[in-house]
């Protein structure tokens, strides 16, 4: 089942989400929600989806990077779910990269993010994890944790000069495909 994705302007998206209670870990209800979130994310060609983006006030998110039309050249990583994620360490160096958001369809912005980070979280079964990630995976985690804290990627941008409607971004920045007509 595909869930509706709430859009910017929805009050829940600007509030810090509630911690997932430990009693919810491993429950059928949580597994059902996570399955719907994964289906919704894949249907929208996303690489991450926070619970508040589907109207659920809980600190959890789904992430997966497989080739899709929105991120055709992104490095792959498997489907993962994290509960109560928290960044505990991050690089001083930041790297700017293009981001979009399922709650702000049709736009991309150039966003500075930490090159690498270490975070802690719970798995859906309640196991504690501590991981260090870099590059695109680190970018996705920062983006999703921002959602859980009530922020959008534009809040991290230095200004809106590098914020584009997707039609203009495609014409200007998307690599041209050779040998396919004009």
């Amino acid at each position: 089942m595909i869930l509706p994705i709430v859009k910017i302007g929805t009050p829940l998206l600007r509030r810090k989400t509630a911690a997932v209670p430990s009693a919810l870990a491993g429950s059928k209800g949580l597994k059902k929600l996570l399955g719907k979130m994964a289906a919704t994310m894949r249907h929208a060609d996303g690489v991450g989806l926070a619970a508040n983006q589907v109207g659920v006030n809980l600190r959890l998110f789904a992430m997966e990077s497989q080739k899709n039309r929105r991120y055709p050249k992104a490095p792959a990583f498997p489907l993962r779910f994290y509960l109560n994620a928290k960044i505990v360490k991050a690089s001083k160096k930041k790297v700017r990269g293009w981001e979009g958001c399922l709650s702000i369809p049709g736009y991309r912005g150039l966003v500075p993010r930490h090159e690498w980070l270490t975070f802690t979280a719970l798995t859906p079964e309640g196991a504690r994890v501590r991981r260090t990630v870099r590059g695109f995976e680190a970018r996705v985690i920062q983006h999703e944790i921002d959602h859980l804290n009530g922020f959008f990627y534009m809040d991290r941008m230095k200004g809106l000069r590098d914020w584009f409607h997707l039609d203009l971004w495609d014409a200007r920045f998307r690599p041209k495909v050779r040998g396919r007509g004009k």
Side-chain angles (χ1 to χ4, degrees), residues 155-169:
D155 299 327
R156 301 290 181 208
M157 294 173 64
K158 296 194 187 296
L160 296 179
R161 286 185 176 268
D162 292 321
W163 195 42
F164 291 86
H165 188 273
L166 201 49
D167 293 342
L168 297 172
W169 184 85

Side-chain angles (χ1 to χ4, degrees), residues 23-92:
L24 198 55
S27 71
K28 287 181 183 178
L30 178 65
K31 288 177 184 176
K32 188 175 180 180
L33 171 62
L34 295 176
K36 289 178 183 179
M37 286 177 62
T40 301
M41 177 182 66
R42 288 171 174 160
H43 179 75
D45 286 328
V47 293
L49 184 68
N52 56 345
Q53 290 183 274
V54 293
V56 177
N57 183 24
L58 287 174
R59 288 191 73 75
L60 61 93
F61 64 89
M63 60 184 285
E64 176 184 51
S65 180
Q66 303 299 328
K67 290 191 181 201
N68 68 45
R69 66 179 173 83
R70 288 183 71 233
Y71 296 95
K73 295 187 182 228
F77 52 81
L79 178 64
R80 293 191 177 109
F81 301 103
Y82 293 113
L83 289 58
N84 301 333
K86 180 180 175 184
I87 297 171
V88 294
K89 191 175 181 182
S91 65
K92 289 183 181 177

